[in-house]
Amino acid sequence: MKSFFGPIAAALLGLSSFTYAQQPSDAEYRDFKGTNGKVIQAVLIDKTGDSATLLLRSGQRATVTFDKLSAEDQTYIKAWSKEKAVFLQKCRSLTTRQLLELRGYESFQFRFEGNSIFIDGKLNGKQGTFLIDTGAGTSLLHIPFAKDSGCQVGELTEKIYGVSGEAPAGWTDVPTISFGESVFKGTRILATDLTNGLQEGQKLREQAILGADIMSQLDAVISYPERRIFLRPDKSDGAEVKEGGEEALAFRIFKTAENQTYRGKIVSKTPTVITLELVGGKQMQLPISRLSADDAKYAADWSEASAFFLQHCQGLTIQELLVLRKYQSFEYERRGNHIFVKGTLNENDVTYLIDTGADSSLLNLKSAKDNGCEVGDMDQFVQGIGGKAPAGVTNIRKLTMGDVVLTNRKVLATDLNRLNPDKDLDYVGLFGADFMRELDAVITYREKRIFLIQR
């Protein structure tokens, strides 16, 4: 992605000096530590070759020479750019949704049931509910849904594994599976009985699972604060959205109420009609009344000034945008399609599996005990693929990821290693949707990061 930081951006935006029209927000202040050990909160607003100008919370300005500051602060100041700082200040109001839709991502509002998140998708044109599950290395279909959609389900000679055990599955030929403009053609997906493990009378919430295999291919971004998942259609088999390649990401996806789709950008408008420049350079006019509700609002709010602003904020990464808002940023480890992040459990360094499909966080029984957690009687149970398994209420004194700290939390612990008891598990449990919802998590497959904030 092209960056717009630097003198050109400053000139384009008419920025000659770093001034605040109003008092900076709390998120913009930083702790600066002097060599004498004292700490002040301030915003860096200018620098020379050997000094920095800081804006204090009182509104006063202070000039400090580098040798009076800690080594960490000196490194920060030397890397700091006035033009970039002004640019970021102006772009800080941008939402993740605005940033990604500017790049041609398609967004879908997800629904909560408990802490689990769901969106609609289509299997051979038949609509169904998909559970968004980063903990599922592969997507899965419920056998009746697959058959009702005209798919051929093979012999159940495969095995899939969940927190409760294993279950049979069969490879299924899928002519098309789609999420909005993201379309996969002629693929094979495993199908199983997703009711396995449900309590008597409990209703199945999903007809399929959207797993990490598809999400990683579509550079998915999952945003809990915005209740949305974002997908890149150009990464799918949908040939109609591949035109223009990477350059097409500078064009937004517009949808009409009749589900027609156009990839373009507004170049002018009247109160009732927008003119779109499409990928390839052609222009077309489109009545605002024909647009979907979200796109009609976007068109109504559009102006040349706002378009100019958004164009130059397009160079931001999600990491830059969220770190501006004091999110903790973690580069995760990919093992196959699974996501792992380092943290602590009762002061011990550990690794967690990030699992949006786990309604509640869950510890491995042996890991919980080894790390000093109090595990109660095994009179509870966990359920999922593979049926049900015994579990015990477990108290976590302290769990951390970076500066995020959770204390005195009760979760369940079960034997996550029951199918492979001779090999130690290399993670302590599932960091589930309950904690991610609480911490307004954002998960990005392209940047390979998870972002958390403790409010």
Side-chain angles (χ1 to χ4, degrees), residues 220-237:
V221 177
I222 301 168
S223 175
Y224 278 83
E226 293 179 282
R227 296 191 173 194
R228 287 188 174 270
I229 182 171
F230 304 86
L231 306 174
R232 277 183 61 174
D234 63 301
K235 294 286 189 176
S236 73
D237 298 330

Side-chain angles (χ1 to χ4, degrees), residues 299-337:
D301 293 341
W302 182 90
S303 68
E304 289 188 9
S306 65
F308 183 79
F309 163 71
L310 291 175
Q311 175 190 354
H312 291 93
C313 288
Q314 195 177 27
L316 278 173
T317 65
I318 295 175
Q319 181 179 1
E320 287 172 321
L321 183 66
L322 294 179
V323 169
L324 271 174
R325 298 173 184 168
K326 297 300 182 183
Y327 267 80
Q328 287 278 299
S329 171
F330 306 90
E331 185 172 9
Y332 58 68
E333 178 188 356
R334 281 278 296 274
R335 302 178 194 168
N337 287 321

Side-chain angles (χ1 to χ4, degrees), residues 91-96 98-99 102 309-310 313 316 321 325:
C91 292
R92 67 178 299 111
S93 62
L94 199 67
T95 65
T96 302
Q98 287 173 313
L99 179 65
L102 277 172
F309 163 71
L310 291 175
C313 288
L316 278 173
L321 183 66
R325 298 173 184 168

